[in-house]
């Protein structure tokens, strides 16, 4: 049985349909990247799965339809990280992380010492050790993203849905974040679906890639096993002509390098 199965999902905004019959699956222990052009519905898909947007079809997590869960139960099982946190008040970094425990707390109940320790540990894992008492608003945009990631990791949900979590991070932190997620999903029954802006990062950091276009998943790619020709065709449909090469780093690690190829001349353009 798949960890997560999405069947016939449709969603949109008002009368405008964005997704039409999306089908996908995610196995436990896997980090799956979601690629698509701007406006293809990546954010819409993530919001629909976690119940933020109404939708048709169904999303089943370990045999349980997510649509049947109450908001608190859903938050315990599914963590969502948006592109922007929406937090614009003076609050400590640790208190932001402790928000992730709200579904486990009763009315007016304060986080326990164990929760505070787990929050500090999560901050250390994302590279923010020692920043617990700093003002969240004074962090850089990239550090804020890492803080929200720590909040979600500490909360203990088995499914993570991440919306371009690398967009404000530099190269070093992008690769570290993907490596952290890879380690996280491999511990216990966990899985993550991440909409990624950088296809090169996705090719080297994810177990599988879903290519979203025209309201549906158009291709499922396995970077470790698929031919370069197949992946080039799928990615060129999104980004225009690209070429891929398998290379090895100085340490011997194989990586896929993506190169943007020149666009063919349009009508009336010079040869």
């Amino acid at each position: 049985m798949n960890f997560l199965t999405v069947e016939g999902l449709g969603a949109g905004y008002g009368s405008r349909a964005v997704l039409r019959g999306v089908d996908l699956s995610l196995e436990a222990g896997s980090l799956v990247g979601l690629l698509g052009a701007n406006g293809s519905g990546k954010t819409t898909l993530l919001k629909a799965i976690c119940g933020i947007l109404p939708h048709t079809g169904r999303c089943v997590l370990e045999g349980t339809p997510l649509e049947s869960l109450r908001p608190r139960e859903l938050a315990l099982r599914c963590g969502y990280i948006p592109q922007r946190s929406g937090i614009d008040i003076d609050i400590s970094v640790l208190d932001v992380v402790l928000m992730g425990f709200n579904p486990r707390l009763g009315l007016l109940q304060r986080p326990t010492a164990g929760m505070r320790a787990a929050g500090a540990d999560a901050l250390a894992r994302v590279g923010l050790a020692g920043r617990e008492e700093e003002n969240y608003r004074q962090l850089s945009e990239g550090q804020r993203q890492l803080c929200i990631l720590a909040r979600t990791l500490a909360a203990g949900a088995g499914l993570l849905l991440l919306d371009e979590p690398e967009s404000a991070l530099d190269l070093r932190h992008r690769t570290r974040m993907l490596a952290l997620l890879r380690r996280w999903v491999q511990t216990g029954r966990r899985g993550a679906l991440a909409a990624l802006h950088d296809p090169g990062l996705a090719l080297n950091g994810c177990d599988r890639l879903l290519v979203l276009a025209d309201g549906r998943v158009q291709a499922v790619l396995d970077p470790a096993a698929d031919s370069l020709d197949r992946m080039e065709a799928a990615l060129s449909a999104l980004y225009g002509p690209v070429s891929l090469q398998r290379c090895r780093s100085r340490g011997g690690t194989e990586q896929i390098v993506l190169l943007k190829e020149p666009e063919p001349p349009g009508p009336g353009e010079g040869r």
Side-chain angles (χ1 to χ4, degrees), residues 75-80 96-104 115 118-119 122 125 148-160 184 190:
L76 289 172
R77 303 190 63 175
C78 179
Y80 171 63
V96 170
V97 176
L98 293 176
M99 289 178 181
F101 292 106
N102 287 346
R104 302 179 185 275
M115 290 176 177
R125 280 189 284 165
I148 299 303
L149 175 60
R151 181 181 72 182
T152 308
L153 294 178
L159 172 66
L160 288 192
W184 181 85
R190 296 170 171 174

Side-chain angles (χ1 to χ4, degrees), residues 85-97 99 123 128 130-145 147-148:
S85 69
I87 298 173
D88 194 26
I89 60 174
D90 291 318
I91 185 173
S92 75
V93 169
L94 181 58
D95 282 337
V96 170
V97 176
M99 289 178 181
L123 284 169
L128 294 178
R131 313 290 291 270
E132 291 87 353
E133 300 308 318
E134 293 187 20
N135 190 330
Y136 175 81
R137 295 179 67 187
Q138 294 177 1
L139 298 180
S140 69
E141 196 62 45
Q143 290 169 335
R144 292 185 185 189
Q145 284 186 308
C147 181
I148 299 303

